[in-house]
Amino acid sequence: MLEGTFPSKQLKMLLGWAAIRQDQLMDNWELALRKQELFAIEPLR
């Protein structure tokens, strides 16, 4: 987060999801840099 607040429970859930999906997030980041279509990543449940 760059600014603002986020409830700690939800932040922990989000960070856990991002850790699990790190490879997929990085792959989408690379696609975005090349202005290519991104793929869907399974949401947090």
Side-chain angles (χ1 to χ4, degrees):
M1 280 181 35
L2 299 177
E3 65 181 74
T5 61
F6 208 80
S8 63
K9 181 180 177 181
Q10 285 81 1
L11 180 58
K12 288 177 187 176
M13 290 174 59
L14 174 63
L15 293 175
W17 173 86
I20 292 168
R21 303 283 181 218
Q22 185 174 6
D23 290 341
Q24 294 172 341
L25 291 166
M26 290 304 299
D27 290 345
N28 261 354
W29 179 258
E30 293 295 328
L31 290 171
L33 290 174
R34 295 191 303 261
K35 300 186 183 333
Q36 296 178 341
E37 186 174 346
L38 307 181
F39 58 86
I41 300 174
E42 187 174 337
L44 181 64
R45 295 182 194 252

